[in-house]
Amino acid sequence: MSYVESCLNVLEAGKKIYLDFISPIHCQICNSQCGDNQIIFRLCNQCFYSLDYSPDKEHLLNSLYSKKKGDDSALSSISSYVELTSESNVELLIYALKYDYCSRIGFDFGKILAKMIANDSTYSTIDLIVPVPLHAARIRERTYNQSLYIAKGIQEIIHKRIENTCLQRIMYSGSQTLLNVSERSSNMSDTIFKVNNKDRIHHASILLVDD
Protein backbone atom coordinates (compact mmCIF):
# COMPACT_ATOMS: atom_id res chain seq x y z
CA MET A 1 0.00 0.00 0.00
CA SER A 2 1.39 3.37 -1.00
CA TYR A 3 1.81 6.35 1.32
CA VAL A 4 -1.06 8.17 -0.41
CA GLU A 5 -3.38 5.18 -0.03
CA SER A 6 -2.48 4.92 3.66
CA CYS A 7 -3.25 8.60 4.19
CA LEU A 8 -6.61 8.25 2.40
CA ASN A 9 -7.53 5.26 4.56
CA VAL A 10 -6.67 7.21 7.72
CA LEU A 11 -8.78 10.17 6.52
CA GLU A 12 -11.70 7.89 5.68
CA ALA A 13 -11.52 6.24 9.11
CA GLY A 14 -11.34 9.65 10.78
CA LYS A 15 -14.36 10.82 8.78
CA LYS A 16 -16.37 7.81 9.91
CA ILE A 17 -15.46 8.34 13.56
CA TYR A 18 -16.43 12.01 13.29
CA LEU A 19 -19.79 11.25 11.63
CA ASP A 20 -20.55 8.50 14.14
CA PHE A 21 -19.88 10.98 16.92
CA ILE A 22 -21.96 13.91 15.66
CA SER A 23 -24.70 11.90 13.96
CA PRO A 24 -24.74 8.23 14.98
CA ILE A 25 -27.03 5.86 13.05
CA HIS A 26 -29.86 4.50 15.17
CA CYS A 27 -32.01 1.45 14.53
CA GLN A 28 -35.31 2.30 12.89
CA ILE A 29 -37.11 -0.27 15.07
CA CYS A 30 -35.57 -0.19 18.57
CA ASN A 31 -33.70 3.14 18.33
CA SER A 32 -30.46 1.65 19.67
CA GLN A 33 -27.20 2.78 18.07
CA CYS A 34 -26.26 0.57 15.13
CA GLY A 35 -22.82 -1.00 15.08
CA ASP A 36 -20.26 -0.99 12.28
CA ASN A 37 -21.32 -4.37 10.93
CA GLN A 38 -25.03 -3.72 10.40
CA ILE A 39 -26.46 -5.94 7.66
CA ILE A 40 -29.29 -3.56 6.79
CA PHE A 41 -28.88 0.21 6.94
CA ARG A 42 -30.66 1.71 9.97
CA LEU A 43 -31.42 -1.71 11.41
CA CYS A 44 -29.38 -3.15 14.27
CA ASN A 45 -28.41 -6.78 13.85
CA GLN A 46 -30.44 -7.85 16.88
CA CYS A 47 -33.62 -6.51 15.24
CA PHE A 48 -32.54 -7.93 11.87
CA TYR A 49 -32.31 -11.46 13.24
CA SER A 50 -35.67 -11.06 15.00
CA LEU A 51 -37.57 -10.21 11.79
CA ASP A 52 -40.43 -12.52 10.84
CA TYR A 53 -39.32 -14.57 7.85
CA SER A 54 -41.77 -15.02 5.00
CA PRO A 55 -43.38 -18.40 4.26
CA ASP A 56 -41.63 -20.54 1.63
CA LYS A 57 -42.13 -19.88 -2.06
CA GLU A 58 -44.61 -22.73 -2.58
CA HIS A 59 -46.86 -21.35 0.15
CA LEU A 60 -46.66 -17.84 -1.31
CA LEU A 61 -47.42 -19.02 -4.82
CA ASN A 62 -50.35 -21.18 -3.74
CA SER A 63 -51.71 -18.31 -1.68
CA LEU A 64 -51.58 -16.01 -4.72
CA TYR A 65 -53.23 -18.47 -7.10
CA SER A 66 -55.99 -19.14 -4.58
CA LYS A 67 -57.01 -15.50 -4.98
CA LYS A 68 -56.56 -15.24 -8.77
CA LYS A 69 -58.19 -16.74 -11.82
CA GLY A 70 -56.08 -19.21 -13.74
CA ASP A 71 -55.22 -16.83 -16.57
CA ASP A 72 -54.52 -13.80 -14.38
CA SER A 73 -50.88 -14.62 -13.69
CA ALA A 74 -47.86 -16.09 -15.45
CA LEU A 75 -45.72 -16.35 -12.33
CA SER A 76 -43.64 -19.47 -11.85
CA SER A 77 -42.32 -18.62 -8.38
CA ILE A 78 -42.45 -16.00 -5.62
CA SER A 79 -39.86 -15.26 -2.97
CA SER A 80 -39.95 -12.83 -0.08
CA TYR A 81 -37.59 -12.31 2.82
CA VAL A 82 -39.71 -10.63 5.48
CA GLU A 83 -43.36 -11.13 6.36
CA LEU A 84 -45.32 -8.08 7.48
CA THR A 85 -47.60 -9.09 10.33
CA SER A 86 -49.71 -7.14 12.79
CA GLU A 87 -47.22 -8.03 15.55
CA SER A 88 -44.04 -7.03 13.71
CA ASN A 89 -42.31 -3.66 13.62
CA VAL A 90 -40.96 -4.06 10.11
CA GLU A 91 -43.44 -1.43 8.89
CA LEU A 92 -41.15 1.15 10.55
CA LEU A 93 -38.38 0.04 8.22
CA ILE A 94 -40.71 0.07 5.21
CA TYR A 95 -41.80 3.60 6.10
CA ALA A 96 -38.17 4.74 6.23
CA LEU A 97 -37.53 3.11 2.86
CA LYS A 98 -40.52 4.75 1.21
CA TYR A 99 -40.84 8.12 2.89
CA ASP A 100 -37.65 8.92 4.78
CA TYR A 101 -35.24 8.90 1.81
CA CYS A 102 -33.49 5.71 2.98
CA SER A 103 -33.05 4.05 -0.40
CA ARG A 104 -30.05 2.13 0.96
CA ILE A 105 -32.45 -0.02 3.02
CA GLY A 106 -33.92 -1.28 -0.24
CA PHE A 107 -30.47 -1.86 -1.74
CA ASP A 108 -29.34 -3.89 1.29
CA PHE A 109 -32.51 -5.98 1.30
CA GLY A 110 -32.04 -6.56 -2.43
CA LYS A 111 -28.62 -8.10 -1.83
CA ILE A 112 -30.05 -10.41 0.83
CA LEU A 113 -32.88 -11.49 -1.49
CA ALA A 114 -30.41 -12.17 -4.28
CA LYS A 115 -28.27 -14.37 -2.05
CA MET A 116 -31.41 -16.23 -1.01
CA ILE A 117 -32.40 -17.08 -4.60
CA ALA A 118 -28.92 -17.38 -6.12
CA ASN A 119 -28.72 -21.14 -5.56
CA ASP A 120 -32.39 -21.80 -6.35
CA SER A 121 -32.73 -23.49 -9.75
CA THR A 122 -36.17 -21.88 -10.19
CA TYR A 123 -34.41 -18.56 -10.71
CA SER A 124 -31.50 -19.83 -12.80
CA THR A 125 -33.19 -18.81 -16.06
CA ILE A 126 -33.66 -15.14 -15.19
CA ASP A 127 -32.86 -12.89 -18.14
CA LEU A 128 -33.56 -9.48 -16.65
CA ILE A 129 -34.86 -7.66 -13.58
CA VAL A 130 -37.93 -5.42 -13.78
CA PRO A 131 -38.75 -3.18 -10.78
CA VAL A 132 -42.46 -2.34 -10.41
CA PRO A 133 -42.66 1.37 -11.27
CA LEU A 134 -44.26 4.22 -9.39
CA HIS A 135 -46.51 6.78 -11.03
CA ALA A 136 -44.68 9.93 -12.15
CA ALA A 137 -46.56 11.96 -9.53
CA ARG A 138 -45.37 9.58 -6.80
CA ILE A 139 -41.78 9.85 -8.04
CA ARG A 140 -42.02 13.63 -7.69
CA GLU A 141 -43.18 13.17 -4.10
CA ARG A 142 -40.56 10.60 -3.03
CA THR A 143 -37.79 11.44 -5.57
CA TYR A 144 -37.05 7.73 -6.17
CA ASN A 145 -38.66 4.33 -6.66
CA GLN A 146 -37.84 2.04 -3.73
CA SER A 147 -38.36 -1.08 -5.86
CA LEU A 148 -35.61 0.10 -8.21
CA TYR A 149 -33.14 0.19 -5.31
CA ILE A 150 -34.15 -3.32 -4.26
CA ALA A 151 -33.54 -4.35 -7.89
CA LYS A 152 -30.11 -2.68 -7.83
CA GLY A 153 -29.18 -4.66 -4.73
CA ILE A 154 -30.27 -7.88 -6.47
CA GLN A 155 -28.32 -6.93 -9.59
CA GLU A 156 -25.11 -6.52 -7.60
CA ILE A 157 -25.26 -10.21 -6.66
CA ILE A 158 -26.77 -11.97 -9.69
CA HIS A 159 -25.46 -9.59 -12.38
CA LYS A 160 -28.59 -9.45 -14.54
CA ARG A 161 -29.70 -6.41 -16.52
CA ILE A 162 -32.31 -4.09 -15.00
CA GLU A 163 -35.02 -3.13 -17.50
CA ASN A 164 -36.58 0.03 -16.11
CA THR A 165 -38.48 1.30 -19.17
CA CYS A 166 -40.75 -1.55 -20.27
CA LEU A 167 -43.33 -1.21 -17.48
CA GLN A 168 -45.12 2.08 -16.87
CA ARG A 169 -47.67 2.96 -14.22
CA ILE A 170 -50.35 4.99 -15.97
CA MET A 171 -52.88 5.34 -13.14
CA TYR A 172 -52.26 7.09 -9.85
CA SER A 173 -53.78 4.73 -7.30
CA GLY A 174 -52.79 6.47 -4.07
CA SER A 175 -50.88 5.05 -1.14
CA GLN A 176 -51.65 1.48 -0.11
CA THR A 177 -49.57 1.47 3.05
CA LEU A 178 -52.53 1.42 5.44
CA LEU A 179 -54.85 -0.76 3.33
CA ASN A 180 -55.66 -4.39 4.06
CA VAL A 181 -55.47 -7.15 1.44
CA SER A 182 -59.07 -6.74 0.26
CA GLU A 183 -58.77 -2.96 0.00
CA ARG A 184 -55.49 -3.26 -1.92
CA SER A 185 -57.07 -5.67 -4.38
CA SER A 186 -59.95 -3.27 -4.98
CA ASN A 187 -57.53 -0.36 -5.34
CA MET A 188 -55.62 -2.28 -8.03
CA SER A 189 -58.65 -3.61 -9.91
CA ASP A 190 -58.38 -1.23 -12.85
CA THR A 191 -55.66 -1.26 -15.47
CA ILE A 192 -52.86 0.79 -13.96
CA PHE A 193 -49.82 -0.48 -15.87
CA LYS A 194 -48.77 -0.24 -19.49
CA VAL A 195 -46.11 -2.36 -21.17
CA ASN A 196 -43.69 -0.42 -23.39
CA ASN A 197 -40.80 -1.60 -25.56
CA LYS A 198 -42.21 -5.12 -25.73
CA ASP A 199 -39.37 -6.26 -27.98
CA ARG A 200 -36.94 -5.75 -25.08
CA ILE A 201 -38.73 -8.36 -22.94
CA HIS A 202 -40.13 -10.71 -25.60
CA HIS A 203 -39.68 -14.36 -24.51
CA ALA A 204 -37.65 -13.18 -21.49
CA SER A 205 -37.70 -14.77 -18.07
CA ILE A 206 -38.36 -11.78 -15.82
CA LEU A 207 -37.64 -11.21 -12.15
CA LEU A 208 -40.35 -8.74 -11.11
CA VAL A 209 -39.36 -6.76 -8.03
CA ASP A 210 -41.77 -5.02 -5.67
CA ASP A 211 -41.76 -4.06 -2.01
Side-chain angles (χ1 to χ4, degrees):
M1 182 181 294
S2 69
Y3 174 76
V4 173
E5 289 175 327
S6 298
C7 290
L8 290 174
N9 288 340
V10 170
L11 288 173
E12 186 64 29
K15 175 184 174 182
K16 185 180 185 308
I17 293 171
Y18 174 72
L19 290 175
D20 287 345
F21 177 75
I22 65 170
S23 182
I25 297 174
H26 288 84
C27 177
Q28 192 70 26
I29 292 179
C30 71
N31 203 39
S32 64
Q33 188 168 336
C34 294
D36 294 336
N37 61 339
Q38 57 186 308
I39 300 169
I40 301 292
F41 182 62
R42 287 179 65 169
L43 183 66
C44 71
N45 286 352
Q46 182 175 348
C47 286
F48 172 76
Y49 287 115
S50 67
L51 292 175
D52 295 316
Y53 295 113
S54 285
D56 60 50
K57 62 182 183 181
E58 287 79 12
H59 179 92
L60 292 172
L61 193 61
N62 290 335
S63 177
L64 174 69
Y65 277 122
S66 70
K67 300 178 179 67
K68 299 289 184 181
K69 297 177 181 178
D71 295 332
D72 281 352
S73 177
L75 296 174
S76 60
S77 185
I78 304 175
S79 290
S80 175
Y81 188 77
V82 177
E83 181 178 21
L84 177 59
T85 66
S86 58
E87 293 80 21
S88 71
N89 291 318
V90 72
E91 69 268 21
L92 298 173
L93 205 60
I94 295 173
Y95 185 91
L97 168 62
K98 288 187 172 185
Y99 305 109
D100 204 16
Y101 306 103
C102 290
S103 58
R104 183 178 160 186
I105 293 174
F107 183 82
D108 289 346
F109 264 120
K111 290 194 295 183
I112 292 174
L113 278 167
K115 292 174 182 177
M116 186 175 75
I117 67 174
N119 297 319
D120 189 334
S121 59
T122 308
Y123 296 93
S124 62
T125 59
I126 292 172
D127 298 309
L128 49 89
I129 306 169
V130 176
V132 173
L134 295 178
H135 190 273
R138 184 69 73 194
I139 287 289
R140 287 194 294 271
E141 293 172 7
R142 298 184 187 170
T143 72
Y144 66 88
N145 177 10
Q146 66 276 2
S147 294
L148 174 59
Y149 278 88
I150 298 173
K152 288 180 177 180
I154 294 172
Q155 182 189 47
E156 179 157 302
I157 303 300
I158 68 173
H159 309 295
K160 298 295 182 179
R161 175 171 62 89
I162 293 177
E163 177 50 66
N164 198 31
T165 62
C166 65
L167 193 60
Q168 178 186 1
R169 187 183 291 261
I170 58 176
M171 179 179 291
Y172 185 86
S173 58
S175 176
Q176 302 194 103
T177 304
L178 301 178
L179 302 183
N180 60 35
V181 174
S182 176
E183 291 169 334
R184 288 183 180 218
S185 179
S186 176
N187 199 36
M188 301 285 284
S189 60
D190 296 320
T191 302
I192 63 173
F193 292 104
K194 175 185 177 183
V195 178
N196 301 314
N197 304 318
K198 294 182 180 180
D199 57 308
R200 296 176 65 89
I201 60 173
H202 190 56
H203 291 313
S205 178
I206 297 171
L207 180 63
L208 192 66
V209 178
D210 197 10
D211 65 315

